Amino acid sequence: ITQAPGDTPESLQENIALRGNWSGELEITQKKGAEVPVGIRVNQVDDPKTGMPAHYIWIFTDITERRQAEERMRHIAQHDALTGLPNRLSLLMRLAQLLPEARRHQWSVAIMFIDLDRFKTINDTLGHQVGDELLREVACRLSSVVRETDFVARLGGDEFVVILPGITTPADAAIVAGKIVAKLSTSIEAEGHELHTSPSIGI
């Protein structure tokens, strides 16, 4: 059994000794080597004559599906449904993690705010389906330009954010901005329309 953080054999025994039972979630390793999350309840059964513990009843429940459902809900809460990019909540969580690290290690971090020129006109004249397809393609192109350590998020509408951690100089951010402008300069096919847009970028 792989125990949850903070749990030790001693703490389990102490809880059972104090309360006569213990419940929690642990990882168990099957014979084939796969780890499975389980909910466990342990009940102590005392000898009616002596009052001393006679044996213990362990009840195991496979909670794989519940864990998977929780993970799906976490993903939905932290990602944009249209593009699959991290959303505003995920962006704030990443910044909360990154900025203290940057201060501690004296790293430079660039944050780029991007919106698309003429997006409202495209959306209003050609319809939301075309606008949505445009946003999905822009999300793919943004993700293809940045490094694995960078972070791309969609705030909503045509607003995107790119975080560049660990840059050396402000010019590094300008180089990435240039790559983004170049990547979005070629036409985008959406619902049979050839679209042209360009990004406005604030760094």
Side-chain angles (χ1 to χ4, degrees), residues 91-154:
L91 172 68
L92 294 174
M93 291 169 62
R94 180 71 181 115
L95 284 173
Q97 176 190 38
L98 179 63
L99 293 180
E101 288 180 4
R103 291 189 193 100
R104 187 163 56 251
H105 299 289
Q106 296 186 323
W107 295 335
S108 292
V109 178
I111 301 178
M112 308 172 68
F113 292 86
I114 304 167
D115 61 50
L116 305 177
D117 302 329
R118 299 184 298 280
F119 175 73
K120 188 176 186 306
T121 301
I122 292 171
N123 216 29
D124 290 346
T125 57
L126 299 178
H128 291 292
Q129 275 189 306
V130 174
D132 288 351
E133 189 60 35
L134 171 63
L135 292 172
R136 280 192 286 266
E137 178 59 24
V138 167
C140 287
R141 293 190 185 189
L142 287 176
S143 298
S144 71
V145 167
V146 301
R147 304 165 300 179
E148 285 187 15
T149 53
D150 299 333
F151 186 88
V152 182
R154 180 184 176 220

Side-chain angles (χ1 to χ4, degrees), residues 166-181:
I167 62 169
T168 306
T169 67
D172 293 341
I175 291 170
V176 176
K179 289 180 180 179
I180 290 172
V181 171

